[in-house]
């Protein structure tokens, strides 16, 4: 069964066809899992990862109580 949300399967069907459903999710399909006619879960592709561009983390600092060696912290500081 399919609708605007994606392919719909009941829990029992999802259990018996899990590997095939995961393959569909990897291919970009969305699978909606239902129990007693109620939507309970969704299986689908992960969002694409975007590369981190140099400078995007410029305003991010380690927590004050984080135990990081000073020489490692210097690696994250801008060069002068």
């Amino acid at each position: 069964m399919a609708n605007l949300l994606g392919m719909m399967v009941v829990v029992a069907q999802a259990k018996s066809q899990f590997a095939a459903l995961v393959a569909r999710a990897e291919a970009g399909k969305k699978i909606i899992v239902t129990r007693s006619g109620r939507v309970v879960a969704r299986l689908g592709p992960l969002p694409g990862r975007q590369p981190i561009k140099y400078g995007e983390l410029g305003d991010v600092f380690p927590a004050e109580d984080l135990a990081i060696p000073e020489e490692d912290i210097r690696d994250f500081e801008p060069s002068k």
Side-chain angles (χ1 to χ4, degrees), residues 60-76:
V60 176
F61 299 97
E64 294 292 326
D65 61 347
L66 191 59
I68 299 176
E70 189 64 35
E71 61 271 9
D72 291 340
I73 291 175
R74 282 194 294 269
D75 289 340
F76 293 95

Side-chain angles (χ1 to χ4, degrees), residues 50-58:
Q50 299 296 324
I52 295 174
K53 296 179 184 133
Y54 180 77
E56 283 186 353
L57 300 177

Side-chain angles (χ1 to χ4, degrees), residues 2-75:
N3 68 11
L4 295 175
L5 297 174
M7 177 183 175
M8 295 186 76
V9 297
V10 296
V11 171
Q13 181 184 5
K15 285 173 61 175
S16 69
Q17 299 177 0
F18 187 71
L21 293 173
V22 169
R24 285 181 172 216
E26 284 180 310
K29 304 294 182 192
K30 294 178 183 168
I31 296 97
I32 306 300
V33 181
T34 64
R35 178 182 285 138
S36 302
R38 184 172 56 90
V39 174
V40 294
R42 182 179 76 193
L43 180 63
L46 290 172
R49 296 183 78 184
Q50 299 296 324
I52 295 174
K53 296 179 184 133
Y54 180 77
E56 283 186 353
L57 300 177
D59 294 330
V60 176
F61 299 97
E64 294 292 326
D65 61 347
L66 191 59
I68 299 176
E70 189 64 35
E71 61 271 9
D72 291 340
I73 291 175
R74 282 194 294 269
D75 289 340

